[in-house]
Amino acid sequence: MSTTLLALENWVKQVVEHTQADKVVWCTGSDTEKQEIDELLLETGDFKKLNEETHPNCFLHLSDPQDVARVEHLTFICTEHKDDVGPNNHWMHPEKAHAKIDDLFSGCMQGRTMYVIPYCMGPIDSPISRCGVEITDSAYVVQNMRLMTRMGTHALNRIEAEGHFVKGLHSTGELDPDRRYIMHFPEELTIKSYGSGYGGNALLGKKCHALRIGSYQAKTEGWLAEHMLILGLENPQGDTHYIAAAFPSACGKTNLAMLIPPEGYVQDGWKITTIGDDICWMRPGEDGRLWAINPEAGFFGVAPGTAKNTNPNALAMLYKDTIFTNVGVTEDNQPWWEGLDDKVPAMDWKGNPYDPEVGPAAHPNSRFTVASKRCPTYSPKAENAKGVPISAIVFGGRRENLVPLVTQARSWAHGVLMGATVASETTAAATGAVGVVRHDPMAMKPFCGYHFADYWAHWLTFDKDGANLPEIFTVNWFRKDENNNFMWPGFSENMRVLEWIVNRVSNNVGAHSTALGDMPNVQEFNLNGLDGFSRDDLNKLLTVDLNGWKTELANTTEYLNGFGERVPDALYKELDNIKSKLN
Ligand code: OXD
Ligand code: MN
């Protein structure tokens, strides 16, 4: 027996019987275990060693080309009542779902090793953290979970002390897209994922537990599980404000979380520290503020576009102890992706000689997996059991027109409406068309484990007596001009918007009121040292296009109506308020 917890022992036994796994390995998280599994992956060809001189302890994994992104059409939330998952999710009755997926799992691990991974989402000693156990037949998944979560003996100790955990069962199966399902049973705190080895489908601590099951747990228990980065912004006086920011997948959360401020800011003493780049769990503290942890322990970031000029901190952490998935490689076996530098790759992500006529060297959703501690700006506060207090919540999307650079909500309810009505262009992080505008409330469209209307109602409950809530903002870095050029320089220059946000939180700067919310006074906004960008340019990014917004709000109303009677009246009230101001 490898655990004192009977429920866990029985479940493992039952899975062995069902899947007919050859061998069971209980993961401890030790260094020896890591080395043994790396060697095994090298033997099977699932890992390729990268250049040991330039990239010590780094590996390349090439996926099945049909298995490179999340599969939203095969992702289900399985609850007793269909109404509970809302139009935002695919639903299947638990009985039917178990039968369907159990059938796939039957005998699927014959000849394979089954790994049992106890993990903790969040610092081991934090009351905000939650634990789970993932059973998987993929050694690649084990090595990713090792970087992305606190896994092994410490997690198991906590699970045994608590007596409960989220159950996650995973098999790569045959990697057949026709035999693939990602199923969630929030009422049973259970996940079953079959037929994919891709991060978001297979590292069950991440999207499946920390967001889909997590959001359900959060609603039941009075907290929030969000698709948000968390960063610390220290001003020259030494005060740090923590900002949580939600953006859809592949819209620059990792870059923003690790931003290095422009030269002038650094000289003045501004500094950004990183708590997390993808997920934020927050709950009200005794002081009424929202306190947040990053439940993850690593980054599973999008490689293309990561470069010296976009995210030097990410590059600095990636030359060592990193797993690269679906990137290209250079002649001398270094990882390479589009935008990295001007080297010419030798091999593409399918393992073929690179030919630009055939396609990019790296898949647009190729990834790096690396421990948070390797990030030069990683904050020791990320290990705080209590979390960090959040001063501002930011909602963003990728919109080439209409949405202003930054807007502040007039109230919590107005901010919830802003989050609920974000729309964004789709990216390569999920299968399907790229660049199509779709509503993505709070960047949670693919991740909310229950009915969106109930989720918004849950958000609204935080505004109560004694609460000291963060200010809410929306941002858009992605506006384009008539020549299809980005109008805002973005990347490190986003610091200017963050500065305005924390100055608003501290009542240090003015704003003017618009129909959409409060916006910067152009004369007060810090453009020092930003060459080639004028106050006129800024003005364009802050203009409210009245007709465009009338159409947008008509679409928004239709979108909210789609969620039926459960949509809180407070949201319609906020919407009507904007409509009347626009008129
Ligand atoms: C991710 C995603 O991998 O959002 O973080 O798809
Ligand atoms: Mn994400």
Side-chain angles (χ1 to χ4, degrees), residues 342-412:
D342 50 16
K343 286 195 193 117
V344 179
M347 188 184 86
D348 71 12
W349 67 277
K350 290 185 180 164
N352 297 323
Y354 171 63
D355 177 354
E357 299 286 314
V358 173
H363 186 274
N365 192 36
S366 53
R367 300 279 177 148
F368 53 78
T369 321
V370 66
S372 304
K373 287 187 176 143
R374 289 221 22 88
C375 177
T377 49
Y378 186 59
S379 167
K381 294 279 195 308
E383 304 294 331
N384 265 14
K386 199 174 162 195
V388 295
I390 299 297
S391 299
I393 288 176
V394 176
F395 294 117
R398 182 186 285 270
R399 288 297 292 274
E400 61 180 52
N401 51 38
L402 206 64
V403 180
L405 180 64
V406 57
T407 312
Q408 181 179 8
R410 286 179 277 268
S411 65
W412 181 257

Side-chain angles (χ1 to χ4, degrees), residues 546-557:
L546 290 183
N547 285 330
W549 272 99
K550 281 181 192 165
T551 312
E552 177 85 359
L553 291 187
N555 293 339
T556 297
T557 310

Side-chain angles (χ1 to χ4, degrees), residues 207 227 249 253 278:
K207 304 301 183 181
H227 191 205
S249 310
K253 284 209 300 298
D278 195 41

Side-chain angles (χ1 to χ4, degrees), residues 30-38 57 59 143 146:
S30 74
D31 291 346
T32 330
E33 178 183 87
K34 176 194 174 321
Q35 271 165 18
E36 281 169 11
I37 299 180
D38 282 343
N57 193 33
F59 300 93
Q143 299 306 64
R146 187 183 304 284

